[in-house]
Amino acid sequence: MEAPAKTQPDVTVRVFKRQFSSNPRGARLARRVGLHQLHTWGIPYLSDASESAALIIGELTANAVTHGRVPGRDFELRLTHTPGDREILGVLRIEVSDTRGECRPPGPGEIAAPADGDDSGRGMLIVDALADRWAVIDREPPGKTVRAELDLLY
């Protein structure tokens, strides 16, 4: 008796999860640590995927410390990398969670462009433009997670 033919490549899903202080320094650190982790997973610095991920991580963590901050509570960055090959796209999922569930950003298709001259309000437009998919999800314990996914080309 022979073993069945292999129909799918082996896939190792990689996960990185870490909590950061809910302040601007924590947001900057999350972005830097996240990009370092992507580099160790084979998504090199300054590649298109790394640059898009940097902007998304930066916007989501800045929102977490600005709009989702609860004194004494951290926010969480979670990265999940499912590699692909020449036939299957890889996926990078970026999730940022905070403890303020009542302060939610607009979801996909609900974002209004800010007025000319406004100094804020463009962060989620950037996420919407760069991510292949994104959503705002309730989580337990109280809070929310903003999830963005990038399809990785090989």
Side-chain angles (χ1 to χ4, degrees), residues 22-112:
S22 191
N23 57 44
R25 186 175 183 185
R28 285 191 306 272
L29 181 60
R31 181 178 166 274
R32 293 182 66 140
V33 169
L35 290 179
H36 176 74
Q37 186 62 53
L38 296 181
H39 185 75
T40 64
W41 287 344
I43 301 171
Y45 293 117
L46 302 178
S47 67
D48 289 344
S50 177
E51 291 292 297
S52 293
L55 288 168
I56 291 170
I57 293 169
E59 292 301 334
L60 296 183
T61 58
N63 284 351
V65 303
T66 303
H67 306 293
R69 184 175 187 276
V70 173
R73 299 285 180 108
D74 295 339
F75 73 90
E76 179 180 280
L77 172 66
R78 180 182 175 106
L79 303 172
T80 307
H81 177 230
T82 305
D85 61 21
R86 289 188 176 98
E87 298 174 9
I88 301 169
L89 292 177
V91 175
L92 174 63
R93 178 180 286 173
I94 301 164
E95 297 175 305
V96 176
S97 301
D98 63 54
T99 53
R100 284 199 61 197
E102 76 280 1
C103 188
R104 298 171 62 93
E110 301 172 354
I111 303 171

